[in-house]
Amino acid sequence: MIFAVCYAIYMDWRSEKLESQLDARQEAVYGELLEGMDSLESKLYKLSLLPNSAKTPELLADIWRQTGELAGYFSAVSLGAEIDGQVLSFLNQSGDYAKQLFLQAASGGQLEEQDAGQIEQMQNACEKLREKLEHVGNKDRKFRIADFIDFSF
């Protein structure tokens, strides 16, 4: 009987410790997610200002890489199945588009006015998403992204 009580106390302590470690890890990933969104928004903004500069291929490669990285962070911090799907779709589409533009720019092609418009839309969506994530508490991340961001670009 004493053993069972001691074991139950130990398991309760261990459970709390594991939960605390999980919360700390989620908080760290959430912080990385916010920093990554800020960085992505900054790169999209730079690209929208100078869509055909010498830095264009480098910026597009960074955007392509970073969208994949952010998709990994979103996978680790669940916001709900519907939201996760929308955000991951947005990141995948943005990454695919950046890849397409990167290949075009790396082969000497120029970004067109339509591309600059889409980059600006991506930057605006990224900004709104980052702002919303900053306002959402770590424990209460349930919100409808589709209510404030148009993911079609």
Side-chain angles (χ1 to χ4, degrees), residues 8 23 39 49 60 63 68 90 92 94 97 117 120 126 153:
D23 286 346
S39 176
L49 292 177
L60 288 165
I63 292 166
F90 167 73
N92 288 334
S94 297
Y97 190 63
E120 187 176 342
C126 186
F153 55 88

Side-chain angles (χ1 to χ4, degrees), residues 16 18-28 30-31 34 77-80 132-143:
E16 287 178 18
L18 290 173
E19 190 173 315
S20 175
Q21 289 173 343
L22 180 62
D23 286 346
R25 179 67 185 138
Q26 289 270 348
E27 186 68 29
Y30 190 66
L34 290 175
V77 179
S78 179
L79 302 172
K132 185 65 175 178
L133 287 171
E134 285 176 350
H135 287 70
V136 174
N138 188 37
K139 301 292 182 197
D140 182 25
R141 294 193 190 114
K142 300 292 183 194
F143 58 92

